[in-house]
Amino acid sequence: MSATESAAVRASESDPANVIWPILLVEDDDADAYLVSELLDEAAAPVEVTRVRTVAEAVRGSAGSACVLLDLGLPDSEGLSALRRLLAVESGAPVVVLTGLVDEYRGAEAVAGGAQDYLVKGQVNGRDLVRAVRYAIERKRADTAARALRESELRANERARLERGLLPRPLYDDRRLRHTARYRPGRRQSLLGGDFYDMVSTPDGTVHVLLGDVCGHGPDEAALGVSLRIAWRTLVLAGVPEADRLGYLQRVLVSERLHDEIFATVCALSVAPDRESARMRLAGHPPPALLHPRLAALPGAVVGPALGILDEDLTEEVHVELGSRWAVLLATDGLLEGRDGPGGEPLGWEGVLPEISRLWPDGGPDHLLDSLIDRVEARNGGPLTDDVALLLLLWGDD
């Protein structure tokens, strides 16, 4: 919380009998400064007044005040320049303008320019002055709260849009094949990063699964992740052979990325119609882990380069036997790069699988995904630095 917000909270939430408002009076005329002090004393105002004579001094002291009383006729300002400079102070205090009789019209201009109120010297009493200060503090606090709420709503809306793009509703109709997914942004950031997944079935009964990760955390990376995810779904639905899809994704990435350094890792899994085997391609991405019938990482010896690193797709297909009843967990490397204590080595599946064994299968899929990231972060000694996306696939009887 900033100094100004702290001052405003003290002035609005404390016991009224104990409130002390730190007021900054910006006035170069000794007589006018004395008059303001007398008016505040007359009203027994609970204030602590600090007086400065120039805008430069006011700019330095604004952030620590609950309210600024500003005279427009200062030696280092002209017109409304003093007001504009004070309003430009980050986390600055609300401003009430003091004007002379001949400058009353300028006071109205000041309010239009961002001042909370204006008072005419010689036409205001102590009660009016205290009321103006109180209202300025309350309006500033209300404006700050409204702005924070609006920013929160905008972030929530943006997150919802990104979730729809990065984490869509899978497109398959096999009721025996279940999936559960979780996503957590790196360092608990407000928006999603570049991790994405999708599931699509084709007429032959194959269920195609994609889990990917665009390097980086910002909205540009998220937008690129959405583009890759939608492109992949389109390729699958259009009947493009599995061996060609990642090559097309590479072309999309290269054409859409903002910088040549941007790349994406991808795990593509195609589960056979009988659900007892799968074909897998890894482009710079860690392999999934088999949770049942045994607990082990799937073969990761054949990992091609990430998309965007080379000019062509060099991934190789790996055949994986799954069995008649199985559970497979796909994870982006944000989970596996969690460390065993600050400065420790990355956990990898070797460090994560023991945590899974403590959670699975007793707690069920939701408990596993809800708790696994927390356990890895506990071992990491704090939030994971990269985004984490988890996709759990289950086949067979409950």
Side-chain angles (χ1 to χ4, degrees), residues 55-352:
V55 180
E57 293 176 293
V59 167
R60 291 192 293 270
S62 171
S65 304
C67 184
V68 176
L69 297 175
L70 173 66
D71 177 35
L72 294 179
L74 298 171
D76 59 342
S77 70
E78 182 177 347
L80 298 181
S81 64
L83 174 64
R84 287 191 288 268
R85 289 174 64 184
L86 284 173
L87 294 178
V89 175
E90 185 176 356
S91 301
V95 178
V96 173
V97 166
L98 301 174
T99 69
L101 287 174
V102 296
D103 291 326
E104 187 170 357
Y105 176 72
R106 183 170 292 171
E109 286 186 314
V111 172
Q116 294 290 337
D117 203 347
Y118 78 94
L119 303 172
V120 180
K121 298 176 183 178
Q123 294 187 351
V124 62
N125 57 33
R127 179 181 297 178
D128 294 335
L129 181 55
V130 173
R131 183 185 298 114
V133 169
R134 184 190 303 275
Y135 288 173
I137 292 171
E138 291 296 338
R139 280 193 294 268
K140 176 72 172 183
R141 183 167 175 262
D143 290 345
T144 300
R147 183 169 60 254
L149 177 61
R150 177 58 178 164
E151 290 173 353
S152 177
E153 291 173 345
L154 290 173
R155 286 194 297 269
N157 291 337
E158 180 68 11
R159 183 184 179 92
R161 285 192 294 271
L162 290 174
E163 282 182 341
R164 289 193 296 271
L166 293 168
L167 316 175
R169 179 179 299 176
L171 188 60
Y172 70 94
D173 55 7
D174 187 340
R175 296 186 177 180
R176 293 186 62 194
L177 179 62
R178 295 170 293 141
H179 77 279
T180 304
R182 290 293 186 276
Y183 183 93
R184 182 174 295 179
R187 299 189 184 278
R188 309 295 176 88
Q189 59 194 41
S190 59
L191 294 177
L192 300 178
D195 292 6
F196 55 94
Y197 77 83
D198 205 351
M199 296 177 63
V200 179
S201 63
T202 47
D204 65 354
T206 302
V207 174
H208 305 270
V209 183
L210 181 75
L211 185 72
D213 177 8
V214 177
C215 68
H217 307 285
D220 292 334
E221 289 78 8
L224 181 55
V226 172
S227 297
L228 294 176
R229 201 278 305 167
I230 293 175
W232 179 85
R233 176 176 282 204
T234 302
L235 292 169
V236 175
L237 294 177
V240 173
E242 294 173 32
D244 299 332
R245 292 174 194 161
L246 296 189
Y248 283 114
L249 279 193
Q250 166 128 315
R251 292 172 63 180
V252 172
L253 183 148
V254 170
S255 66
E256 295 291 332
R257 65 186 177 184
L258 294 179
H259 307 289
D260 291 342
E261 296 78 14
I262 299 297
F263 63 89
T265 66
V266 168
C267 171
L269 198 67
S270 296
V271 183
D274 64 6
R275 305 293 181 255
E276 295 192 3
S277 65
R279 298 179 299 276
M280 179 176 68
R281 289 178 179 272
L282 301 173
H285 201 281
L290 188 65
L291 307 191
H292 185 83
R294 66 185 187 280
L295 190 62
L298 292 178
V302 183
V303 179
L307 304 182
I309 299 295
L310 301 179
D311 294 334
E312 57 182 325
D313 167 36
L314 298 178
T315 58
E316 297 183 27
E317 183 178 278
V318 178
H319 183 81
V320 179
E321 291 294 334
L322 297 174
S324 59
R325 182 173 180 268
W326 49 264
V328 171
L329 177 63
L330 291 81
T332 53
D333 56 8
L335 180 78
L336 305 179
E337 289 178 354
R339 297 183 177 274
D340 199 0
E345 293 296 319
L347 293 173
W349 280 123
E350 294 81 3
V352 172

